[in-house]
Structure formats: structure tokens, C-alpha cells
Amino acid sequence: MGSGPLTNSISVSSGQTKVKHKLPNGFCLDKSANSSNSLQRTLVITNCIAVNNVENPYYSRRPVDTIVKITFTQSEIPRKISKKEYLSEIAENLELKKFLIGPSNKKLIYGEKNIKDKYFYVNFQILSSSKRPEHVRKYFFLVDNKVAVMTILTFKKTRMNTYSSFETFIKKLS
């Protein structure tokens, strides 16, 4: 039953073991959309709702207004630099306009960088040729001493509680 392989948690490597982390409410991992290779693993998270079927509870898709991708890389930080310094260095060297990769029919209309204690994020809004605004926030953080990038793409007015729930989620992963 249900509309595909959805689950409300992800497993993340921590040393030699995998640790399961519950996703923020209203979001599920779409197992069919994940990808992996020797350099990185990308998980796709989308809107969902819990369906309480007495015999067999499951998660179902709901209209998508937000897509979240989390990419766990194999890039380890050098031992001689602190985690905060390493993230600050990445943030300093990141040029927002060069950072936007995509078709030329998209135009950057707003962008900012913000460095926090355990992560930093790049927040921007782009306008596609269809005049539909896309709100994008990319988070850079460390998991098991390796760089991870989370992208939150929303197609309507951005909800700050979505950002704060995923920022809390990052702190659990770090």
C-alpha cells in the first residue's frame, strides 16, 4: 500500500556504524530517487503525510512544494584545521554567481551567505524563464569529519519553520 518507497528517517554513517535519524515532520526519504557512487551519496527528501491504516501504517506523497537533497561526500577535512575554520574557508571562497549551476534561462535575483557555528548556508532566489520563483538554500556542514551539502528548493513562499527544522536536523547529524 502507499505510493512508493517512502520512509521518515535516514541512515547516516558514523565511524563504522550507521545511525538512523528521524526526518522533520511532513518530510520523507524517497528511496527511489536516491543515488550513489564512490565519491558521494545523495538522498532525496520530499513532502509526505503519515497514513494511519490500522493494519499497515505507511507514508504517502502529498503535493510537493519543497524538495530537499542531502549529499554526503567522501571529502575529509585535514586534521590540522578546525571544523569551524574549514567551513569558514569554504564560505569565504564560495562565489554565489559561479555557484549557481543550471540552464541560462534562470536569473539570480537575490543571494546571501551566513556562517553559523556548525554549518553555513547560502540563500538565494532564482527566477526561471516561466517567471516562477524558486527559493534555494544550500547548507554546508560536516558529518563524520566529511563535507555534506543539503539543498532545500521551494516553489512558493519560503517557510522559516522548514529551515529551522532542517537546521535542528543538521545539528543532530553533525
Side-chain angles (χ1 to χ4, degrees), residues 85-126:
E85 282 178 287
Y86 190 72
L87 287 174
S88 295
E89 190 67 29
I90 294 173
E92 259 182 52
N93 292 318
L94 186 73
E95 289 185 47
L96 192 58
K97 289 190 185 225
K98 288 183 182 177
F99 182 65
L100 289 172
I101 299 170
S104 58
N105 65 347
K106 293 189 177 184
K107 176 182 160 191
L108 173 70
I109 56 175
Y110 168 79
E112 69 169 354
K113 288 189 259 186
N114 195 340
I115 299 174
K116 299 286 187 178
D117 189 37
K118 294 209 175 239
Y119 60 88
F120 80 91
Y121 66 83
V122 178
N123 197 38
F124 52 95
Q125 184 178 349
I126 51 180

Side-chain angles (χ1 to χ4, degrees), residues 18 49 57 65 84 86 131 141 145 155 157 160 171:
K18 290 227 179 218
I49 188 165
D65 64 15
K84 190 168 184 175
Y86 190 72
K131 302 290 185 227
F141 55 102
N145 217 34
F155 301 109
K157 182 106 172 101
M160 291 311 289
K171 290 174 185 172

